[in-house]
Amino acid sequence: MDLIPAPRVVLLDQEGRRYAFGPQGPSLGAGPGTAAVARRLRAELGAATGWDLPAAGDGRAGDLRLRIDPDRDWDLGPESYLIDIGPDGVELTGASATGLFWSAQTLRQLLGPDAHRRAPATGRPQGPPAWSLPHGTIADGPRFGWRGMMLDVARHFMPKDGVLRYIDLLAAHKLNVLHLHLTDDQGWRIEIKRHPRLTEVGAWRARSRRGHRASPLWNETPHGGFYTQDDIREIVAYAAERHVRVVPEIDLPGHSQAAIAAYPELGNADVVDTAALGVWDDWGISENVLAPTEAVLRFYEGVFEELLELFPADVSPFVHVGGDECPKAQWKASPAAQERIRELGVDGEDGLQSWFVRHFDGWLAERGRRLIGWDEILEGGLAPGAAVSSWRGYAGGIAAAEAGHDVVMCPEQQVYLDHRQAAGGDEPMPIGYVRSLEDVYRFEPVPPNLSPEAAAHVLGAQANVWTEVMENQDRVDYQVFPRLAAFAEVVWSWQPAPEERDFAWFEGRMAAAHYARLDALGVAYRPPGGPLPWQRRPGVLGRPIEGAPPIV
Ligand code: ACM
């Protein structure tokens, strides 16, 4: 049936019988607790098919029946579901509302690619086509509870509509975490009412380098944008309806030049003229990092106070504080930072970095939240509830899990989707490792030698989408798809060891149905044969540059 991600168990009627819906479509029998999923079905399936999905009449079960049954013996956890299709209709049963929601995504895939459109594509005067489903049973549930994608909206801003669209795309692939990288050297993307200059000044830059750092080209068009607090509330609520959690990231104490450009007192003003700094227009890691002062802590506590209101704990217990890649040159040169090291009794400049992170670790824990940060945060020792995004390979994640911390695996060598997906000069602005669709399909979130206790701390994995060389949504689509479909199968489906995975089977399902689903969804994916002419960026250098030794 070409489902992606592949369900655990599919039992099909041996005789190939099908249940056919009439032109008016099914009636909907919505059991207790299923109203939200019924609403989504009416909105999404109704739009694609033209069906009204009227409520089943009194005493009638309905042709399409929704149920939540937490008491059944679901061995795949609370996100599990069952689909039964027989002569008397279709039954979707979730272990929870979330499981039921995933069953509706499977139902959409079963109906065919056109079920992913926003209006019936037939245009036929005689009405919609007959939709039908195979008789059979599907029993399914996820391998991991954290199935995520990180989107960097700081380097290139993705307008709100694009974020909502990505939430739909994640949900269609049964992914359930959107980690939003909201701040960096090159932009601050979230309104903070008590510090308005963060967006007045920090949300745009005058120009951007076009291509990677090695490129001599510039795009002289100003770039910017930010989400108002109401935009964020809308994004969070939209995601929640689709059982996707949004995890916000405010990166500190490095990757902070946009904030310093807005409020120069946040920077190391004794060694650099912070008042003269703008939002960074280049790529890389800025030397302009936060000053290690109490005033800076108070400033960021204010930021996080507003953030916690926008991201309620039941939606996102985790708050990401970045903590990665903090250059130390300014702290080394700064008499004020050196004095601070002595006062705090911390271990040099590295100790200052962990002092920042530990402060917010405690601050968030006091408010019932959990800190998550890039694996550098391990270096200073962490409070028990803190979790780690393991990006510099698996090592940080292994160390964290062995020390009893929860871990999200996102090693850059495997699941950084900014990295090129094929060798050769045709890939647009090619950077990093070659990581093909097959490579992503063979990504394994749990390293082989982890003890069972440590492996239980691997919450799951996420694919990270850094946008330096993705200047718009089409470029993001190109980097993300089809690889995110392979990633979704890795984190949802049961998988043998990487080398034993049947990539040909996955590719077959992609070709038979999933590319058509992506077409119906309007995704500008990388075609299997390579980029279309307008997807190329001839003459824009990536890294490593052509002829240079590979960095793999
Ligand atoms: C990162 O890629 N700096 C987390």
Side-chain angles (χ1 to χ4, degrees), residues 65-423:
R65 302 182 286 278
L66 310 181
R67 282 204 304 157
I68 296 173
D69 182 2
D71 299 328
R72 198 185 286 238
D73 187 18
W74 299 98
D75 53 1
L76 292 169
E79 293 186 79
S80 303
Y81 68 86
L82 262 176
I83 298 180
D84 269 310
I85 304 163
D88 62 346
V90 181
E91 192 153 277
L92 309 185
T93 309
S96 63
T98 307
L100 185 67
F101 178 76
W102 302 133
S103 78
Q105 300 309 314
T106 301
L107 178 72
R108 213 150 62 117
Q109 292 201 358
L110 288 170
L111 283 166
D114 280 344
H116 293 79
R117 295 189 183 274
R118 294 189 203 184
T122 60
R124 288 178 205 143
Q126 66 270 40
W131 302 82
S132 72
L133 293 169
H135 286 189
T137 299
I138 294 175
D140 199 12
R143 180 175 176 204
F144 293 106
W146 186 300
R147 307 180 299 277
M149 185 181 105
M150 186 220 73
L151 183 62
D152 167 16
V153 293
R155 271 51 173 271
H156 281 106
F157 179 63
M158 182 177 281
K160 182 191 75 181
D161 276 358
V163 174
L164 299 179
R165 172 179 175 272
Y166 256 89
I167 290 166
D168 281 324
L169 293 174
L170 295 184
H173 290 84
K174 301 191 176 77
L175 298 171
N176 68 347
V177 177
L178 175 64
H179 166 177
L180 279 181
H181 183 75
L182 289 165
T183 70
D184 213 301
D185 297 315
Q186 296 86 359
W188 184 285
R189 306 289 177 216
I190 178 170
E191 177 189 27
I192 300 296
K193 299 231 191 243
R194 74 190 77 181
H195 303 309
R197 285 173 60 84
L198 285 171
T199 44
E200 285 166 13
V201 174
W204 68 281
R205 56 182 183 263
R207 62 173 193 168
S208 310
R209 191 183 285 282
R210 185 161 158 73
H212 200 265
R213 290 197 288 283
S215 165
L217 305 175
W218 291 89
N219 179 348
E220 297 291 344
T221 308
H223 178 84
F226 67 94
Y227 311 111
T228 65
Q229 296 203 343
D230 280 345
D231 290 340
I232 293 285
R233 289 187 184 96
E234 181 185 358
I235 288 169
V236 168
Y238 190 92
E241 272 195 35
R242 287 152 183 82
H243 298 268
V244 173
R245 283 178 278 156
V246 185
V247 175
E249 179 186 352
I250 302 290
D251 205 343
L252 59 81
H255 289 284
S256 299
Q257 184 168 325
I260 297 166
Y263 292 96
E265 64 271 26
L266 296 175
N268 296 285
D270 59 342
V271 289
V272 60
D273 181 7
T274 54
L277 285 177
V279 175
W280 208 22
D281 55 14
D282 210 347
W283 310 130
I285 308 168
S286 168
E287 292 289 330
N288 294 298
V289 303
L290 297 179
T293 66
E294 290 298 319
V296 168
L297 294 186
R298 299 293 92 73
F299 182 99
Y300 273 83
E301 285 171 1
V303 170
F304 282 112
E305 273 172 23
E306 294 191 25
L307 201 74
L308 295 196
E309 283 189 11
L310 297 171
F311 294 88
D314 55 343
V315 171
S316 172
F318 285 100
V319 175
H320 207 293
V321 303
D324 57 326
E325 297 179 322
C326 180
K328 305 296 183 317
Q330 290 187 353
W331 291 345
K332 282 198 172 88
S334 157
Q338 291 302 315
E339 177 57 26
R340 200 73 179 126
I341 288 171
R342 279 189 292 278
E343 264 172 42
L344 295 168
V346 298
D347 186 14
E349 294 80 24
D350 289 340
L352 278 185
Q353 183 173 345
S354 56
W355 169 79
F356 264 107
V357 173
R358 289 183 72 102
H359 176 79
F360 287 103
D361 191 9
W363 190 92
L364 287 167
E366 282 165 18
R367 286 156 185 79
R369 301 303 184 98
R370 293 183 62 187
L371 177 142
I372 184 165
W374 302 111
D375 56 62
E376 286 94 332
I377 68 168
L378 264 180
E379 288 159 13
L382 276 183
V388 167
S389 309
S390 187
W391 76 275
R392 296 177 300 178
Y394 289 96
I398 294 171
E402 297 285 3
H405 292 284
D406 286 340
V407 171
V408 176
M409 285 293 185
C410 48
E412 62 171 337
Q413 296 86 345
Q414 276 78 16
V415 285
Y416 267 33
L417 300 186
D418 50 332
H419 290 192
R420 68 189 78 190
Q421 43 203 327

Side-chain angles (χ1 to χ4, degrees), residues 429-452:
M429 302 188 198
I431 63 170
Y433 307 92
V434 175
R435 287 298 172 256
S436 65
L437 185 60
E438 180 165 0
D439 292 329
V440 173
Y441 194 66
R442 296 190 193 284
F443 163 60
E444 174 49 45
V446 181
N449 298 324
L450 221 48
S451 67

